[in-house]
Amino acid sequence: MTKKVNIGGMKVHTYKHTEDFILESGEVLPGFELEYNTMGELKEGVKIVWVCHALTGNADVKEWWNGLFGKGKLYNEKEHFVICANVLGSCYGSTGPLSTNPKTGKPYFHDFPQVTIKDIARSLNLLRESLEIGHIDTLIGASLGGQQALEWSIQCPDLFENLIVVASNAQHSPWGIAFNESQRLALQADPTWYENREDAGQNGLRAARAIAMLSYRHYETYSQTQTDKQEEQLDNYKASSYQRYQGDKLVERFNAYSYWVLSKAMDAHHVGRGRGGLQKALKSIKAKTLIIGISSDVLFPVNEQRLIAEHIPSATYHELESLYGHDGFLVHFEELKECIDHFYYAAERVQLQVG
């Protein structure tokens, strides 16, 4: 069941799943909603592109990947039907910790059950089935979105023609888990975190975001963009104000409960769980695959993307040079477009040769 509204030219929809949804943990969501955005029309002849968003991202791909999506861009309304759904646990319209628990009539808050990337992928597939989409030309995602894309392409190997994974991994690393746990410790250090209220943990969320920025960027990023020019300066450094600014900005648009839930989902990501191991799971992917790593990424180092490419049959690997670390996928639109264009062109040539 879906409802649809139009906002700023984008179509915003809500999918309602009314049956119990059994999570990987064994807990049960008594139904859920997914809010999702679409661009273009779902009609014969257009290519369907499904986008999976990152941890604090949303379903409006034009907002955070505007260099790739929109009029005259790589993915545009004339040639494509683009869809992106806010994930379970997020705070942008889909069911999450601030949603009403039908059993109590009150928001879930800390009682929201654990969701994993496998759960998220299964929920996306239920949305896909409700739209009667039987084939997707391209599944694309970066970071947490790349984790979703990998998992979904393993769950439904015959569904996707092309798979594009940017700055992500097949199993979240101890390093990445440690970063996330440090951020959750910041949430727990906020006295309001234990109160059942919508604005709980905001100061903790500010600190968590400041920690996260160190993993999203790179030593050289800060050296070149946050260095103070005054040698006599003793306080109020540029880098300090930048960290505070990033924390304030996230608090204005995100929620501490969702941050907790989705960081836990990222920690539990492991495509090999229950499938005989990571390599076997990756080998089951049938889509033509492009894996993109970012040279300066300290959160998802390039060896993680190389590992994925090594075990997916006939996958292509490309490394993007960047000063901006993990966040390079939100900056280097032209390089991404060129890389993806080349991937499509190579895939078409192979298809013509086989034909």
Side-chain angles (χ1 to χ4, degrees):
M1 178 179 178
T2 63
K3 69 177 181 179
K4 177 174 68 176
V5 295
N6 289 305
I7 298 179
M10 295 291 292
K11 293 179 181 175
V12 183
H13 320 247
T14 302
Y15 163 67
K16 294 186 178 183
H17 183 73
T18 56
E19 299 176 5
D20 284 353
F21 186 63
I22 302 173
L23 301 167
E24 189 180 5
S25 66
E27 295 185 84
V28 178
L29 270 178
F32 64 83
E33 294 186 0
L34 292 181
E35 185 169 293
Y36 63 101
N37 284 19
T38 61
M39 181 184 79
E41 297 295 330
L42 185 56
K43 60 185 180 181
E44 188 175 350
V46 301
K47 293 181 177 180
I48 298 173
V49 177
W50 199 301
V51 186
C52 297
H53 69 72
L55 190 147
T56 65
N58 58 49
D60 186 357
V61 295
K62 286 185 176 181
E63 179 182 311
W64 50 272
W65 248 359
N66 63 341
L68 297 179
F69 294 86
K71 187 176 180 181
K73 304 293 176 62
L74 176 64
Y75 300 113
N76 56 76
E77 295 92 334
K78 289 185 178 181
E79 300 174 300
H80 305 91
F81 176 74
V82 177
I83 180 168
C84 181
N86 290 308
V87 298
L88 279 179
S90 187
C91 55
Y92 290 118
S94 295
T95 296
L98 296 186
S99 301
T100 300
N101 182 346
K103 292 182 179 179
T104 65
K106 299 177 181 179
Y108 284 98
F109 293 124
H110 292 286
D111 292 330
F112 192 74
Q114 180 187 19
V115 296
T116 66
I117 300 296
K118 289 187 177 184
D119 297 324
I120 291 171
R122 286 175 49 236
S123 71
L124 295 178
N125 199 54
L126 287 169
L127 167 58
R128 189 269 308 174
E129 289 177 344
S130 77
L131 297 172
E132 299 182 344
I133 294 174
H135 179 78
I136 294 171
D137 182 80
T138 298
L139 175 63
I140 181 172
S143 194
L144 181 97
Q147 294 178 337
Q148 297 168 54
L150 272 177
E151 174 60 38
W152 195 6
S153 65
I154 292 168
Q155 289 184 14
C156 303
D158 296 313
L159 180 60
F160 307 102
E161 185 73 22
N162 301 290
L163 170 65
I164 302 173
V165 175
V166 185
S168 194
N169 56 20
Q171 174 185 359
H172 209 47
S173 67
W175 175 251
I177 293 169
F179 262 115
N180 285 342
E181 185 64 19
S182 299
Q183 294 168 63
R184 290 190 293 267
L185 285 170
L187 294 179
Q188 289 177 308
D190 184 332
T192 68
W193 172 244
Y194 298 97
E195 301 174 15
N196 284 334
R197 55 189 239 200
E198 290 190 8
D199 62 349
Q202 287 193 344
N203 283 329
L205 184 60
R206 285 185 177 90
R209 186 62 165 185
I211 294 168
M213 290 307 300
L214 301 178
S215 68
Y216 296 158
R217 300 296 170 85
H218 188 269
Y219 178 93
E220 285 301 326
T221 318
Y222 279 81
S223 293
Q224 295 198 28
T225 63
Q226 304 303 324
T227 296
D228 294 278
K229 296 180 179 179
Q230 302 298 324
E231 293 182 2
E232 298 81 6
Q233 194 160 341
L234 297 177
D235 201 356
N236 300 316
Y237 296 105
K238 207 172 173 184
S240 300
S241 62
Y242 180 74
Q243 296 301 91
R244 292 181 178 276
Y245 164 73
Q246 289 293 343
D248 290 341
K249 194 164 71 165
L250 185 68
V251 166
E252 289 176 2
R253 69 177 180 85
F254 213 70
N255 174 272
Y257 295 103
S258 289
Y259 204 84
W260 180 283
V261 168
L262 294 182
S263 70
K264 284 281 191 178
M266 180 178 278
D267 287 358
H269 172 60
H270 190 331
V271 299
R273 186 169 58 247
R275 297 184 174 122
L278 187 149
Q279 295 182 18
K280 184 176 180 181
L282 292 174
K283 282 187 169 112
S284 70
I285 294 176
K286 296 181 180 179
K288 294 184 283 291
T289 303
L290 171 63
I291 306 296
I292 300 175
I294 300 174
S295 62
S296 55
D297 194 339
V298 297
L299 182 58
F300 293 82
V302 294
N303 64 292
E304 295 190 329
Q305 288 91 63
R306 288 175 181 152
L307 183 147
I308 298 171
E310 180 183 347
H311 295 293
I312 296 177
S314 302
T316 300
Y317 173 73
H318 177 81
E319 194 164 305
L320 192 153
E321 292 292 327
S322 175
L323 170 69
Y324 292 94
H326 184 63
D327 274 355
F329 77 88
L330 296 170
V331 177
H332 298 287
F333 297 133
E334 282 303 314
E335 292 89 339
L336 280 172
K337 178 184 178 299
E338 183 178 336
C339 178
I340 294 170
D341 267 339
H342 186 267
F343 166 69
Y344 284 139
Y345 176 71
E348 288 174 2
R349 286 192 64 185
V350 169
Q351 192 172 9
L352 286 171
Q353 289 172 1
V354 172

